[in-house]
Amino acid sequence: MGRTNPVFAALWGCLLVNAATAAGQEEAPAVPSGLHLKLQEFFVDTQPDGLRVGRFRFVAPALAEGVAFARVEEDFAALCTGYALPYLAREQQDVGQVVISLASKPLEFGESDPSVVQFFEAFQIENAQCKWEGF
């Protein structure tokens, strides 16, 4: 897969760096739940306090079929360790936090739709390891 050109934008006072592939084109690795996932987008945003957050937004259509959080709970740590950390290293992105989201269909960042199932988890990145933060 070829590299993409970063896109810079400001949103709610945060600088966003979008280095994602085109929406839904990158397959995610196998996850403990067995669900089929695709990366919708990846970007880094810098919070007002200077914290750089790597956001990995995945689409999992099966969530629309009533998949409970308990089934995908282990997927978040697996995606942080097995996907996000290698991705960040490859893209030479240094972040202090990773937020992983799963949604039943693609949504623009920051939008909500009551018909779309969404789950999120946050991880602090310390010594190249994911430490679950919990919201």
Side-chain angles (χ1 to χ4, degrees), residues 41-98:
E41 68 179 335
F42 157 75
F43 61 91
V44 173
D45 71 75
T46 302
Q47 301 296 305
D49 65 359
L51 177 68
R52 288 175 45 86
V53 179
R55 298 188 184 273
F56 292 82
R57 302 182 66 229
F58 294 92
V59 175
L63 294 179
E65 299 167 11
V67 172
F69 179 79
R71 179 168 172 199
V72 299
E73 186 172 5
E74 292 181 27
D75 294 354
F76 292 96
L79 287 167
C80 188
T81 301
Y83 188 88
L85 292 181
Y87 192 105
L88 290 164
R90 184 174 66 244
E91 296 296 320
Q92 299 178 343
Q93 293 288 336
D94 184 31
V95 301
Q97 183 183 54
V98 165

Side-chain angles (χ1 to χ4, degrees), residues 5 17 40 110:
N5 293 323
V17 181
Q40 177 183 346

